[in-house]
């Protein structure tokens, strides 16, 4: 039986759909506050109602938190394979403790149970944020070394710390694969993460910025994960990036596919700095911070990733990002039209 953590997130929902299609026996963890109807909604993007219902009903849902050891232990009963997708994604400095608690301690709990329950194989979804850096304007691959002296944000530190816990598990006999996706694009979660690209362009996004980084479609991420888990490959990590693109290109392409005005103005550093000052003042009164010194600097970085290792390992051919942006835009427009 397969256990999926983070089953109500972007990767988790698409992974559950793939596993259900393959008639795998699946158990998925949901937190008490989770809304599993989003999973059924995503299934409906790719199947007619009757088939989507049938696939959704194959999932054995269990309420547990990755830091609730008794509930998590129960979730592991009868499990042979684990996909660990659950994580907190935040760049707010006030979330440092939560990031460590969920991403590092939570992953340690998963690893410990994998060891205790003698799980056959674990797949951990990390991030390119946990990959080390390389020389300027060169492509980064899996051999890049993490430099603790560099100025990493709390999210990156938490994902790197989680990877250390996963590697610890390999020393205890747990066969493992780690995937490090770039920015994952896919439908269903329009109010958080990369899904906000589509909702904000729909509302009229005016600004873009020159940051270059790796992007990948969610279906390619899921395909890589399942191929690795079904292979003999173990105790390796793989960067998952379809293309290295600028946010300017992504924003303008998405606007074109959605038939919306393209963002025409580039954000200036002084604009972002001013926003950071106002948000910092607001944080004194409990408001959430989305802009940090680190994020201001990163908006102008250009980072290039090399994902040839995964293509060679499992013969994976990445979907062009233009096709992914177009398909996701189409799903967004279709969904919002139904809601009117």
């Amino acid at each position: 039986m397969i256990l999926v953590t983070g089953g109500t997130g972007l990767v988790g929902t698409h992974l559950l759909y793939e596993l259900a299609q393959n008639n795998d026996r699946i158990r998925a963890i949901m937190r008490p506050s989770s809304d599993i109807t989003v999973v059924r909604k995503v299934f409906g993007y790719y199947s007619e109602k009757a088939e989507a219902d049938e696939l959704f009903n194959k999932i054995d849902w269990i309420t547990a938190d990755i830091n609730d050891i008794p509930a998590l232990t129960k979730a592991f009963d009868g499990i042979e394979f684990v996909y660990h997708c659950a994580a907190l994604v935040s760049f707010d400095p006030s979330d440092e403790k939560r990031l460590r608690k969920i991403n590092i301690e939570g992953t340690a709990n998963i690893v410990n149970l994998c060891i205790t329950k003698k799980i056959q194989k674990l797949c951990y979804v990390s991030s390119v944020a946990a990959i080390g850096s390389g020389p300027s304007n060169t492509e980064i691959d899996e051999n890049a070394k993490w430099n603790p002296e560099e100025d990493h944000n709390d999210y990156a530190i938490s994902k790197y710390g989680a990877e250390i816990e996963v590697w610890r598990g390999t020393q205890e006999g747990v066969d493992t694969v780690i995937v490090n996706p770039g920015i994952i694009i896919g439908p269903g979660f329009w109010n958080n993460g990369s899904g906000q690209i589509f909702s904000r362009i729909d509302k009229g996004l005016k600004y873009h910025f020159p940051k270059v980084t790796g992007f990948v479609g969610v279906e390619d991420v899921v395909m890589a994960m399942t191929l690795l888990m079904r292979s003999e490959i173990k105790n390796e990590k793989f960067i998952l990036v379809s293309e290295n693109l600028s946010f300017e290109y992504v924003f303008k392409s998405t606007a074109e596919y959605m038939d919306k005005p393209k963002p025409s103005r580039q954000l200036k550093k002084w604009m972002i700095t001013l926003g950071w000052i106002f948000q910092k003042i607001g944080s004194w009164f409990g408001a959430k911070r989305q802009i940090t010194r680190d994020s201001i600097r990163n908006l102008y970085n250009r980072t290039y990733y090399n994902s040839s290792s995964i293509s060679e390992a499992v013969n994976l051919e990445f979907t062009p990002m233009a096709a992914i942006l177009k398909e996701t835009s189409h799903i967004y427009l279709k969904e919002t039209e139904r809601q009117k």
Side-chain angles (χ1 to χ4, degrees), residues 137-257:
N137 294 323
T138 61
E139 288 191 338
I140 296 170
D141 62 18
E142 293 84 354
N143 296 315
K145 302 298 183 183
W146 176 273
N147 183 357
E149 300 302 319
E150 291 183 356
D151 189 15
H152 302 287
N153 60 53
D154 293 325
Y155 171 68
I157 292 169
S158 73
K159 295 301 280 187
Y160 178 73
E163 285 194 16
I164 291 176
E165 294 295 338
V166 173
W167 291 126
R168 172 178 62 83
T170 66
Q171 300 302 308
E172 298 290 335
V174 180
D175 291 347
T176 300
V177 286
I178 296 176
V179 293
N180 296 82
I183 294 177
I184 304 172
I185 302 294
F189 299 81
W190 313 116
N191 296 317
N192 55 66
S194 64
Q196 293 179 90
I197 293 173
F198 303 88
S199 57
R200 291 187 177 182
I201 286 175
D202 185 31
K203 294 174 183 176
L205 187 64
K206 296 181 180 179
Y207 292 92
H208 59 78
F209 48 91
K211 178 181 175 67
V212 173
T213 190
F215 289 82
V216 64
V218 66
E219 292 178 73
D220 284 345
V221 173
V222 167
M223 183 60 66
M225 292 165 64
T226 53
L227 286 172
L228 287 168
M229 286 291 274
R230 293 165 186 160
S231 74
E232 298 298 317
I233 297 169
K234 63 180 181 180
N235 304 340
E236 294 187 42
K237 65 187 295 182
F238 297 90
I239 290 173
L240 305 183
V241 165
S242 172
E243 295 177 67
N244 297 296
L245 300 172
S246 69
F247 275 86
E248 178 181 1
Y249 170 86
V250 171
F251 288 175
K252 288 184 176 180
S253 296
T254 302
E256 181 178 343
Y257 297 134

Side-chain angles (χ1 to χ4, degrees), residues 24-234:
D24 290 309
R25 295 175 60 234
I26 318 160
R27 179 176 297 151
I29 291 176
M30 59 176 288
R31 289 174 293 125
S33 59
S34 296
D35 179 12
I36 62 173
T37 61
V38 70
V39 181
R40 172 59 185 81
K41 180 187 76 171
V42 169
F43 281 25
Y45 294 154
Y46 308 107
S47 296
E48 296 297 327
K49 184 180 186 307
E51 182 184 2
D53 288 340
E54 181 182 355
L55 293 172
F56 179 77
N57 290 333
K58 290 181 178 181
I59 304 168
D60 173 24
W61 290 98
I62 186 166
T63 302
D65 186 282
I66 59 174
N67 282 301
D68 181 349
I69 304 301
L72 196 59
T73 302
K74 182 180 178 181
F76 266 77
D77 288 345
I79 296 298
E80 299 169 290
F81 302 93
V82 176
Y83 288 89
H84 180 30
C85 310
L88 172 64
V89 180
S90 174
F91 301 95
D92 186 336
S94 67
D95 281 333
E96 178 186 0
K97 290 184 179 179
R98 290 182 64 225
L99 284 163
R100 291 177 180 272
K101 183 72 176 177
I102 295 170
N103 295 351
I104 301 178
E105 292 183 33
T107 299
N109 294 334
I110 295 292
V111 169
N112 290 339
L113 281 167
C114 285
I115 296 169
T116 302
K117 298 289 186 176
K118 301 187 184 304
I119 297 302
Q120 292 185 29
K121 200 168 186 178
L122 164 67
C123 177
Y124 173 57
V125 182
S126 185
S127 166
V128 291
I131 297 286
S133 60
S136 179
N137 294 323
T138 61
E139 288 191 338
I140 296 170
D141 62 18
E142 293 84 354
N143 296 315
K145 302 298 183 183
W146 176 273
N147 183 357
E149 300 302 319
E150 291 183 356
D151 189 15
H152 302 287
N153 60 53
D154 293 325
Y155 171 68
I157 292 169
S158 73
K159 295 301 280 187
Y160 178 73
E163 285 194 16
I164 291 176
E165 294 295 338
V166 173
W167 291 126
R168 172 178 62 83
T170 66
Q171 300 302 308
E172 298 290 335
V174 180
D175 291 347
T176 300
V177 286
I178 296 176
V179 293
N180 296 82
I183 294 177
I184 304 172
I185 302 294
F189 299 81
W190 313 116
N191 296 317
N192 55 66
S194 64
Q196 293 179 90
I197 293 173
F198 303 88
S199 57
R200 291 187 177 182
I201 286 175
D202 185 31
K203 294 174 183 176
L205 187 64
K206 296 181 180 179
Y207 292 92
H208 59 78
F209 48 91
K211 178 181 175 67
V212 173
T213 190
F215 289 82
V216 64
V218 66
E219 292 178 73
D220 284 345
V221 173
V222 167
M223 183 60 66
M225 292 165 64
T226 53
L227 286 172
L228 287 168
M229 286 291 274
R230 293 165 186 160
S231 74
E232 298 298 317
I233 297 169
K234 63 180 181 180

